[in-house]
Amino acid sequence: MIRAFANPKDLTDAIRLLTAEPRWRPVAGCTDISVKLRFDRLDADGFVNLWGLLPRHIEERQDEIRIGAGATCAQLAKSALVRAQLPALFEAAATLGSPQIRSRATVGGNVANASPAADLVPALMSDDARVVVQSANGVTTVALHRLFVGPQKTILGPGDLITEIVVPKPAPLSYARFDKLGFRQAQIIAAVNFAIRATGAAGTLDAVRIAWGSVAPTPVRSPAVEDALAGTRLTEADIAAAIDAVAADVRPIDDHRASAAYRLAVARSFLRRALKECQRWLST
Amino acid sequence: MTADRSRRRAAKRPPAARRATPRRKTHSRPDPLPTVVGKSPRRVDAGAKASGTARYTADLSFANLLVGYPVTSRFTHARIRRIDVSAARRVPGVVAVLTAEDVPGQNQIGVVIADQPLLAHDLIRSAADRVALIAALTREAALAAARLVVVEAEPLPLVCDPVAALEPSAPLLHPRGNLAAKMVIRTGDYAKARAKAPIVLEQTFTTGHQEHAYLEPNAVVAVPDAGGMFLTGSMQCPFYVQKGVARVLGLSHAQIRVVQAPTGGGFGGKEDYPSEPAACAAVLAHHTGRPVRILYNRSEDIAWSSKRHRTVIKHTLLADRDGKLVGLKATIYVDAGAYLGLSSVVAERANASAGGPYRIPNVEVDTLTAYTNNPFGGAYRGFGQPQVTFALESQLDALARELGADPIELRLKNFLRQGSRTVTDEVLRQPPLAARTAVEARDRSRWAAKRRAAETHNAADPDRRHGVGVASMLYGCCLHAGGQHLEGSAALVQIHPDASVSIAIGASEIGQGAYTAMAMLAAEALGFAYDQIHVVPTDTALVPDSGPTVASRTTIMSGNAVLDAARTLGARLRPVAAELCGVAESDVVLQAGAVWARGKQAALSIAELVTAAYLRKVNLAHTGWYAPPKKLWDKATGRGQPYSLYCYGTLVAEVSVDTITGLVTVQRVTAVHDVGKAIYGDGVIGQIHGGIVQGLGYATMERLAVADGKILNPTFTDYLIPTALDVPEIDIGLIEEPYERGPYGAKGIGEPALIPVAAAIANAVSHALGFPLQDLPLSPERVKLGWEAHRSPAAAAP
Ligand SMILES: Cc1cc2nc3c(=O)[nH]c(=O)nc-3n(C[C@H](O)[C@H](O)[C@H](O)COP(=O)(O)OP(=O)(O)OC[C@H]3O[C@@H](n4cnc5c(N)ncnc54)[C@H](O)[C@@H]3O)c2cc1C
């Protein structure tokens, strides 16, 4: 039962409250929390409101793009910087939920909620994002793909707040894409999501980053596929090998939303379409 | 005449109310055309609903109100050994915990046959079976008590498939067996036709459950009242609630008064089902002597209420090489769930509609309704017909593929014509308009060009394929002959001394606009202004039993009853007007809110006329009545006249199918319906839009996940219905050919709007992919895995 709703004056105050009251939870846009509350799936006694306290910037600083944890999907989907530099994140944010949800859904909440289906996470992972965490002990930075330990579980403890997401500026010549398998056009939880960033030159792929959602207990990177592709010229045989490697990286389950076989089939198709597109990009 | 009512045009209408009273010079006689009917005035309930002042059941307050809660168990099929409610009774705030022996009357419910215990005592047959009822001060206390009800039971083997349920070895749910009902059609000589037929197409189709997803979950209040019971709630059929409650309380009908509350949608889901929570609330109210309200939350509503029937349809279509249909054999398995409910009535419509709008001389249809432990099958817009339409229309497209024929040309060759016999051996009296709707839909949609464009596009083997599909429909409007005793309908029209009018009908307003249509008909027939007419909530104490609000019958049945009353009152007012105007009675007309004498507007206003009539003690109230002529129909052969009238319709759907994900996007729908006469213009357009969207959900995304009789996705997170972004572009053509017995020529539109939608979409998807699809919904998973199997059969084999 929720008994408290605290409005701290700043982040330091919020961290103090959360450290003192380990059964209180931070809330930002409340879009994930309210659903848990409705279905009685929230193990907490109180809320600490971060809305209005979290930084909301989206800016380029030296060779990085820095996004305040309080930035909403609506902001991301309006940002020319995100659109130009991080097209996978742009697409994920612009199609998340609905206009109402996008105006409240924060990037920090999407990450901290640790849903295996979170749409922003694979997009951010494919761009090597890092997460800035502030706590009573100071500020640390952790690679996004190291944040998750299980469904709805992260390495964050009580009083650890995500304040910023930092993405290295992508190489000027690179290819990126985001795909989501959702069973209608809006308001839909992904049954598979996928993001890719590839860099290369002169017909050869240099590095490839791929991330998947909804096909494992957490969003995952795709090392077998990435290895299969790195340094190749993306021939038909290379593409076939990469598609074969998908099964090594994902562990989809059967549930009432979709079967494992179907999720795997779509994951392979997503990769195939992206690699065909990438092939055309590489040859130009 | 075909009215052009495209979505764009409808959208351009000014939002403000359009006054029904024409602006005209006052000295010429009004023309005889309707002045209100056919227009789109503001809905009578728009103000209250839009401003939030309409009081739904959850908004009502009563002194000493208790929360009622039905308790289910974790079992789906089991023999009960013991139910222990002692711990539940001790929860603070709990006022009563009742079990089967506390039901004062019969512990049985069910609208056709009462085969369902209100409270289970020996057997549990479904996950929604109640074992106890709780009345408490708060919902929290009721839920806490519900968790403490102990049910010890011995699980029994589950019956989860309607085909297997009818095999001799199947465990029985009811002593009389699992075959709950059987309907047939036997026309011509199918066996002989089969032996000679050059083309025999056999396919088996399956269709899934569908949840109604109305805005307002079930809600009802029962209030003890002078030895009887007063109930109000969200419902379609107050007279069903009245009878159901009388039975469980052991009281007479006259002791039960039911007033329909503003109702947030029904779609068939509130036809018989609300009698269940109403009976529960009434038993609790009787026992505690206090008002008891039951409000379901969404998950409870999805888990406990009825669904569109799941079906399995084994279908054989016979044709000759010219594409002429010569025979049809269908075995239709209807999954009733654990109790009959309305399943036999739904099966009746499925059975009678199996032949569609086509001439098929040799027919053998068997519709078998089976008891299972699955979710409760019930009424849902279309009532068994979307399923059989999907099967038949898919078969017609299979035949077109086989012959290399155009699907619309093939249909045109086979449609019923004037004087031809339907599959139930009825000779149609009214003009069959199927071909008109098909030609209109073909031309409006630019069918041939679109089909060619899709085929050219698909030839390049893109990931996203295009398809265009068609489906036609014959809809028997109003009740089937098997239920014709329920058809009589009443309307009370009362003119008050100040010339305002209140009308009460036996049918209900469930969002479809019935009250608006009734107010328009009353205004038209009385000659009063539309805004003088008020519609009071449907009340079993005000009007005689008028049967259910279903089967697209309200405009016709209640509408005719309103006309009957209004014309009677007109006949009482006219002599007074004649006297006051000093003309003969035959020279007086009331129209468009004015009195007309010898073709000129009289100095006498309607208000003055009414006052004069009142002072002369003229009876200014009348209960009108309408019942259609008797239909002759033989249950043993299915032959005869199943329906009073038919509506025709043809839909063309344009889709794009993403073969990467299997997702079907419906891009455009052209819908042409024969509506007789559109009484309430915007209402008709709204019904067609809604039917398309609901049918689109049924066709593509609405999937009730059921395992071992339990619903796994009783939430809107996981049970997906279309969003605004899933709605296609819609173009509507109305054929207005008046029906001689309809009010101002009207037919029904509620159910026809949905019936052909899934069939047309499925045919479009088949066109896009190049192979037939036999299972609804066309979920992305089915489409994707089907596509991969079609592409490389060996690789995709499981
Ligand atoms: C109708 C609907 C549709 C949706 N559609 C999508 C969709 O398409 N795709 C998708 O990915 N998600 C979707 N969501 C989920 C949700 O909107 C997103 O995950 C959103 O980004 C969460 O952000 P929030 O600010 O609302 O988080 P909140 O609900 O406020 O918090 C979520 C979790 O993160 C924690 N938290 C929040 N901020 C911080 C922080 N700065 N530091 C540490 N912990 C923090 C909270 O304690 C909580 O556990 C949908 C939700 C709804 C209700």
Side-chain angles (χ1 to χ4, degrees), chain A residues 11 18 24-36 42 47-48 50-51 54-55 69-73 92 95-98 101-102 104-115 117-122 132-134 152 154 156-157 159-164 180 184 186-190 193, chain B residues 717:
Chain A
L11 286 181
L18 289 162
W24 291 12
R25 297 274 174 280
V27 294
C30 264
T31 58
D32 272 315
I33 284 280
S34 58
V35 174
K36 288 187 181 151
L42 197 67
F47 289 143
V48 175
L50 304 182
W51 187 258
L54 289 167
T72 62
C73 289
T95 55
L96 182 144
S98 60
I101 295 295
R102 291 195 287 274
R104 292 286 300 181
T106 65
V107 60
N110 194 257
V111 168
N113 191 54
S115 157
D119 282 326
L120 304 188
V121 173
V132 179
V133 179
Q134 190 177 328
Q152 326 285 330
T154 64
L156 301 178
D160 288 349
L161 290 184
I162 299 176
T163 53
E164 245 187 324
K180 170 176 179 173
R184 63 183 173 194
Q187 299 281 48
I188 188 71
I189 298 172
N193 49 25
Chain B
T717 309

Side-chain angles (χ1 to χ4, degrees), chain A residues 35 38-41 97 180-189 254-263 265-267 269-270 272-273, chain B residues 297-299 463 658-665 701 703 705 712-713 715-723 725-726 780-781 784-785 788:
Chain A
V35 174
R38 158 71 176 81
F39 290 105
D40 237 353
R41 279 196 239 117
K180 170 176 179 173
L181 171 62
F183 300 144
R184 63 183 173 194
Q185 304 296 330
Q187 299 281 48
I188 188 71
I189 298 172
D254 280 312
D255 69 10
H256 62 264
R257 288 184 190 146
S259 72
Y262 170 56
R263 289 180 206 256
V266 174
S269 297
F270 277 164
R272 158 170 283 282
R273 174 168 62 191
Chain B
N297 71 19
R298 182 62 65 182
S299 308
D463 287 337
D658 181 355
T659 57
I660 302 251
T661 58
L663 211 70
V664 173
T665 308
M701 68 179 75
R703 197 172 65 89
L712 305 179
N713 56 344
T715 67
F716 284 156
T717 309
D718 287 327
Y719 183 84
L720 303 179
I721 59 173
T723 68
L725 285 191
D726 298 288
E781 172 151 0
K784 170 77 173 172
L785 297 180
E788 300 212 330

Side-chain angles (χ1 to χ4, degrees), chain B residues 327-572:
Chain B
L328 158 70
K329 179 176 170 62
T331 310
I332 302 160
Y333 296 87
V334 176
D335 184 345
Y339 304 101
L340 188 63
L342 285 156
S343 295
S344 54
V345 190
V346 170
E348 224 161 37
R349 179 174 286 280
N351 190 70
S353 311
Y358 306 106
R359 278 172 291 135
I360 314 177
N362 304 293
V363 178
E364 216 174 283
V365 178
D366 292 85
T367 304
L368 309 173
T369 303
Y371 286 126
T372 68
N373 298 113
N374 284 332
F376 191 23
Y380 193 138
R381 194 178 197 178
F383 215 68
Q385 206 175 330
Q387 295 94 320
V388 296
T389 303
F390 163 62
L392 177 63
E393 294 293 314
S394 298
Q395 285 277 64
L396 281 164
D397 270 30
L399 178 60
R401 269 193 301 277
E402 168 91 20
L403 296 169
D406 175 84
I408 292 186
E409 291 308 313
L410 178 72
R411 284 168 174 79
L412 286 170
K413 191 174 286 181
N414 286 290
F415 281 136
L416 293 163
R417 302 192 184 134
Q418 191 79 50
S420 49
R421 284 176 184 276
T422 69
V423 295
T424 68
D425 210 27
E426 179 188 355
V427 180
L428 293 173
R429 282 186 312 116
Q430 301 132 17
L433 299 174
R436 286 259 309 264
T437 65
V439 167
E440 173 82 12
R442 180 191 69 192
D443 296 347
R444 286 183 90 95
S445 66
R446 297 195 299 117
W447 162 266
K450 292 272 179 61
R451 290 270 292 190
R452 266 198 312 278
E455 284 156 21
T456 312
H457 169 88
N458 295 342
D461 196 22
D463 287 337
R464 196 176 269 281
R465 303 177 69 88
H466 295 169
V468 185
V470 66
S472 293
M473 165 204 67
L474 167 78
Y475 173 76
C477 197
C478 305
L479 301 177
H480 186 277
Q484 58 183 317
H485 58 284
L486 293 168
E487 198 83 278
S489 296
L492 168 65
V493 176
Q494 190 173 349
I495 304 174
H496 300 277
D498 66 351
S500 62
V501 178
S502 51
I503 61 181
I505 57 168
S508 56
E509 170 64 58
I510 48 175
Q512 84 280 45
Y515 283 179
T516 301
M518 294 306 120
M520 293 174 73
L521 291 171
E524 188 71 56
L526 285 171
F528 284 32
Y530 170 73
D531 43 22
Q532 278 172 282
I533 318 286
H534 300 259
V535 187
V536 303
T538 303
D539 181 341
T540 57
L542 267 184
V543 240
D545 186 344
S546 302
T549 299
V550 302
S552 309
R553 64 186 284 270
T554 298
T555 299
I556 300 174
M557 297 299 157
S558 297
N560 276 331
V562 166
L563 295 191
D564 180 38
R567 285 174 182 152
T568 303
L569 296 175
R572 292 181 194 160

